[in-house]
């Protein structure tokens, strides 16, 4: 379900509230006691809505629960193909699937941005690409150029990998500068910048510091993983990232999302975008049907 900028926000708030109440099995009395509401005002209680936002409900997509349609779920998915052996035929197939299912974007390596952009022309589906991928060890000015070139080729979203070694060395200033170098290029060109922190390589303290650096640098999203490290997204990491960035940034769960159940857990933990190569499977599961042809690669 989508809402225009001039949409009925009161209705949106009512629907969010109703969904939360339903998920709590109607235990309104217990929830009302938390803020002292004992009257009809509970359904529009600002304090309660703040708690919902603090828990990660940055937008209506987080309240999909058990009832989200295939289209709702597809709108959260960056339909991804980052395998080094991907071919032109693979990219065309990826784009056709994105157009058919209305995914949030297609995510491809920079070499395929122009081809993907051409294949998606007229569909309204943006192209996402990766910067400094997958190690993040590229110099900041090189990442900035890579982002600018990708946007020139047609990318509307860029997912950059942080300098993981700098973070683990305690050089948060370098990390923030590295992120800002790409953020500034992206925003100059009206593109979205997501920051991959590679959670599998970090302690919880490092994850928090990475998210704070991304927030200070003006990023639009923080993202869990490249899919090429020793682990991918976990519910605990998504929840930690959401608590750290609050409602101001999106959180993208990527790597290891194998189907609708995994996607739902990530969304309930606070994710507002899912990066996966199994977008078709997620949409088909949400629609109550599955195809034996759907692949399950995690990146």
């Amino acid at each position: 379900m989508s809402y225009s900028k001039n949409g009925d926000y009161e209705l949106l708030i009512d629907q969010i509230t109703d969904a939360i109440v339903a998920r709590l099995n109607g235990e309104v009395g217990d929830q009302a006691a938390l803020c002292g509401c004992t009257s009809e005002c509970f359904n529009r209680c600002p304090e309660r809505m703040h708690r919902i936002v603090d828990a990660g409900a940055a937008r209506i997509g987080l309240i999909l629960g058990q009832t989200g349609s295939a289209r709702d779920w597809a709108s959260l998915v960056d339909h991804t193909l980052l395998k080094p052996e991907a071919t032109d035929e693979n990219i065309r197939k990826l784009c056709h699937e994105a157009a058919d299912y209305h995914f949030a974007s297609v995510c491809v390596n920079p070499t395929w941005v122009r081809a993907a952009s051409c294949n998606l022309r007229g569909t309204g589906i943006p192209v996402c690409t990766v910067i400094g991928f997958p190690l993040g060890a590229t110099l900041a000015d090189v990442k900035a150029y890579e982002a600018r070139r990708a946007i020139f080729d047609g990318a509307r979203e860029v997912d950059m990998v942080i300098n993981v070694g700098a973070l683990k060395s305690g050089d948060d200033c370098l990390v923030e500068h590295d992120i800002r170098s790409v953020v500034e290029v992206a925003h100059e060109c009206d593109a979205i910048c997501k920051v991959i922190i590679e959670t599998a390589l970090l302690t919880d303290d490092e994850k928090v510091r990475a998210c704070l650096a991304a927030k200070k640098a003006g990023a639009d999203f923080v993202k869990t993983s490249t899919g090429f490290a020793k682990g991918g997204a976990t519910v605990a990491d998504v929840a930690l990232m959401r608590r750290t960035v609050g409602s101001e940034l999106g959180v993208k769960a990527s790597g290891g999302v194998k189907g609708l159940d995994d996607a739902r857990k990530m969304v309930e933990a606070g994710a507002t975008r899912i990066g996966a190569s199994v977008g078709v499977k997620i949409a088909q599961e949400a629609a109550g049907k599955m195809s034996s042809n759907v692949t399950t690669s995690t990146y």
Side-chain angles (χ1 to χ4, degrees):
M1 182 178 296
S2 60
Y3 293 83
S4 66
K5 291 182 178 178
N6 298 318
D8 189 343
Y9 292 104
E10 187 70 14
L11 175 60
L12 175 57
I13 290 172
D14 286 346
Q15 290 174 333
I16 293 174
T17 303
D18 290 343
I20 291 293
V21 170
R23 290 187 64 79
L24 294 174
N25 297 318
E27 295 175 1
V28 173
D30 292 341
Q31 292 298 313
L34 294 175
C35 63
C37 289
T38 56
S39 67
E40 291 297 323
C41 77
F42 177 69
N43 284 334
R44 295 180 176 83
C45 174
E47 185 174 343
R48 182 173 180 232
M49 290 308 301
H50 284 310
R51 288 202 308 277
I52 294 171
V53 171
D54 289 342
R59 66 185 195 185
I60 187 65
L62 295 179
I63 316 298
L64 291 171
Q66 303 293 324
T67 60
S69 69
R71 181 75 173 263
D72 291 332
W73 280 103
S75 72
L76 299 181
V77 174
D78 287 344
H79 195 36
T80 302
L81 178 57
L82 296 172
K83 291 182 178 182
E85 69 270 26
T87 66
D88 181 68
E89 182 180 351
N90 297 148
I91 298 301
R92 284 198 302 271
K93 181 174 184 288
L94 186 82
C95 292
H96 292 158
E97 289 171 346
D100 287 343
Y101 287 92
H102 302 279
F103 291 121
S105 77
V106 297
C107 187
V108 296
N109 279 304
T111 191
W112 294 114
V113 166
R114 186 178 290 267
S117 181
C118 290
N119 276 287
L120 289 168
R121 185 173 292 127
T123 66
I125 309 297
V127 176
C128 172
T129 194
V130 287
I131 304 298
F133 191 86
L135 301 179
T138 312
L139 295 170
D141 60 337
V142 177
K143 290 180 182 177
Y145 173 78
E146 187 178 17
R148 189 178 298 279
R149 175 56 194 267
I151 293 169
F152 176 81
D153 282 343
R156 303 309 308 153
E157 302 186 3
V158 294
D159 291 14
M160 68 153 300
V161 188
I162 66 166
N163 188 324
V164 179
L167 180 77
K168 296 189 77 68
S169 299
D171 195 347
D172 292 7
C173 289
L174 193 156
V175 175
E176 184 178 336
H177 167 71
D178 183 61
I179 297 169
R180 183 176 285 108
S181 68
V182 177
V183 168
E184 288 179 349
V185 169
H187 289 177
E188 177 187 331
C189 301
D190 295 322
I192 289 172
C193 181
K194 311 189 200 90
V195 176
I196 307 171
I197 68 172
E198 200 67 286
T199 52
L201 303 181
L202 306 179
T203 65
D204 282 354
D205 175 68
E206 289 166 345
K207 293 166 194 172
V208 169
R209 285 167 41 219
C211 287
L212 291 176
K215 189 172 183 179
K216 290 176 183 176
D220 301 292
F221 280 76
V222 287
K223 175 179 170 182
T224 59
S225 319
T226 62
F228 285 79
K230 59 184 179 181
T234 69
V235 169
D237 284 341
V238 169
L240 176 62
M241 293 165 71
R242 172 53 67 197
R243 289 196 301 272
T244 303
V245 302
S247 60
E248 298 171 47
L249 275 67
V251 174
K252 179 174 173 179
S254 183
V257 177
K258 298 179 180 178
L260 181 61
D261 286 344
D262 289 339
R264 180 177 286 115
K265 290 172 185 176
M266 298 302 172
V267 167
E268 289 173 348
T272 50
R273 192 77 71 88
I274 302 294
S277 61
V278 293
V280 172
K281 180 181 178 184
I282 291 170
Q284 289 183 344
E285 286 180 341
K289 59 183 180 181
M290 268 299 300
S291 167
S292 59
N293 302 339
V294 178
T295 61
T296 56
S297 166
T298 58
Y299 61 93

